[in-house]
């Protein structure tokens, strides 16, 4: 029998007489109404597909007494016999690392989440009161997740929460305080989170400082190093048990392409290099080093925790986006303003973060670096296992030393 030819704008479009259906376990099959036959492969492309996850937000699956399955869209008050997840069916992969790019640099966080229902998922996001962090929080909350905005500026955090609630009154958004320039504050956040008894499925380490001159935190560490790396390292360690109880869980670390310009080596990873004194300090060098630390930390974290159901991935959100990160120097504010028409929007900037947080193809897949919602190769240093181990060891050493110092000072004050 000759193959039927037809005009189509998409290779996935079905020929006349064919229908796409889904089994109860999510496998896609194809029914030919003319021959009354069914098959697993697409009649044109030969691909096999599956649908994953729960029904989209607001949808419900019902079965009549005679076994007929239908779907109700409570948001738009519509009923259909077609599984809405078919719109997001994925090709069956030969390997977990066989990624087929579905999104790119122009995709938005809300496009990544289209059709997803995150009800029951809990996400903690640092620095989520503005910029990319806010759009990440907003996007996840609008799709049913309970989102915890953790940041230093509580007034801005409550204003951000109010903005999301105004858009979606049923959104679940909580606000918690954390000052990443204070290890004491980081510990308090973790303790308060655990006291609430919430699970934690998504830990998104988004907060960062950029262009900041040399300054010391209350823990006597250089600020860029502590805020961008060490405090996130500490927060993750404190919340590991909660994430293990909530597994599967993910840690998403916002890094930067700036990591490629770091001068860190496995032979110089120590406190003097990571947290330099003023005479050895250059703000861009400190930022570049902290962003390399983000990736090295992510890779080692994934190695240690993936056997326990927690995967970790890092990402670059975009270049020179107009956000609060440029606030520390007027020249950067001017430069970021000038290039604003040519860079990503905040929604586009949040897309890769959200992709790493929810993409089904990243289930049980970690230790990777993403840019424009696509896996890409980081620098050779970022993939250096010896450097990752050295950074972990140095971070533990610095952290323990500071915590011991803080306890000693607390006893003296008492």
């Amino acid at each position: 029998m000759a193959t039927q030819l037809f005009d189509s704008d998409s290779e996935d479009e079905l020929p006349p007489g064919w229908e796409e259906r889904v089994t109860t376990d999510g496998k896609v099959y194809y029914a030919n109404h003319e021959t009354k036959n069914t098959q697993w492969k697409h009649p044109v492309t030969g691909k096999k597909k599956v649908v994953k996850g729960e029904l989209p937000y607001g949808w419900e699956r019902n079965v009549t007494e005679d076994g007929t399955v239908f779907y109700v869209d409570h948001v738009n008050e519509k009923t259909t016999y077609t599984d809405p997840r078919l719109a997001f069916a994925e090709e069956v992969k030969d390997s977990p690392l066989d990624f087929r790019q579905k999104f790119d640099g122009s995709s938005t966080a809300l496009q990544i989440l289209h059709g997803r229902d995150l009800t029951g998922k809990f996400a903690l996001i640092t620095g989520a009161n503005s910029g990319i962090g806010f759009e990440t929080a907003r996007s996840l909350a609008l799709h049913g997740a309970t989102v915890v905005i953790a940041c230093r500026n509580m007034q801005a955090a409550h204003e951000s929460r109010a903005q999301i609630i105004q858009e979606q009154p049923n959104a679940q958004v909580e606000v918690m305080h954390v000052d990443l320039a204070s290890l004491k504050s980081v510990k308090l956040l973790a303790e308060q989170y655990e006291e609430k008894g919430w699970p934690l499925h998504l830990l998104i380490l988004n907060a960062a400082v950029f262009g900041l001159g040399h300054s010391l935190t209350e823990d006597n560490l250089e600020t860029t190093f502590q805020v961008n790396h060490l405090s996130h390292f500490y927060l993750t360690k404190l919340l590991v048990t909660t994430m293990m109880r909530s597994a599967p869980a993910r840690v998403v670390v916002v890094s930067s392409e700036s990591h490629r310009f770091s001068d860190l080596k496995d032979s110089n990873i120590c406190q003097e290099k990571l947290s330099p004194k003023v005479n050895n300090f250059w703000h861009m060098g400190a930022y570049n080093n902290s962003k390399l630390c983000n990736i090295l930390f992510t890779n080692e974290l994934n190695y240690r925790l993936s056997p326990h159901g927690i995967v970790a991935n890092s990402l670059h959100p975009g270049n020179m986006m107009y956000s609060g990160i440029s606030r520390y120097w007027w020249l950067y504010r001017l430069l970021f303003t000038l290039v604003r028409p040519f860079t990503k929007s905040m929604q586009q900037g949040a897309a890769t973060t959200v992709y790493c947080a929810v993409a089904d193809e990243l289930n049980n897949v970690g230790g990777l670096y993403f840019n424009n919602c696509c896996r890409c190769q980081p620098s050779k240093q970022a993939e250096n296992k010896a450097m990752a181990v050295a950074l972990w060891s140095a971070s533990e050493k610095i952290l323990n030393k500071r915590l011991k110092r803080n306890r000693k000072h607390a006893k003296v004050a008492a």
Side-chain angles (χ1 to χ4, degrees), residues 30 80 85 105 115 153 170 186 189 193 198-199 243 261 272 300 308 315 334 350 364 389 394 413:
Y30 303 89
T80 178
R85 295 175 298 172
N153 189 331
N170 295 326
V186 172
L189 167 64
Y193 192 95
W198 293 333
M243 286 189 287
F261 305 101
E272 290 72 22
E300 185 62 17
H308 303 284
L315 65 105
L334 175 61
N364 303 315
V389 173

Side-chain angles (χ1 to χ4, degrees), residues 20-26 51 54-56 58-64 68-74 77-86:
E20 197 172 35
R21 297 176 179 174
V22 181
T23 64
T24 55
D25 60 351
V51 295
E54 302 297 325
L55 290 171
W59 283 80
E60 180 185 3
R61 180 176 181 268
N62 289 304
V63 183
T64 62
T68 302
V69 179
F70 66 97
Y71 303 87
V72 180
D73 178 359
H74 292 291
E77 298 182 348
K78 294 181 179 180
T79 300
T80 178
Y81 293 104
T82 302
D83 190 324
R85 295 175 298 172
L86 273 172

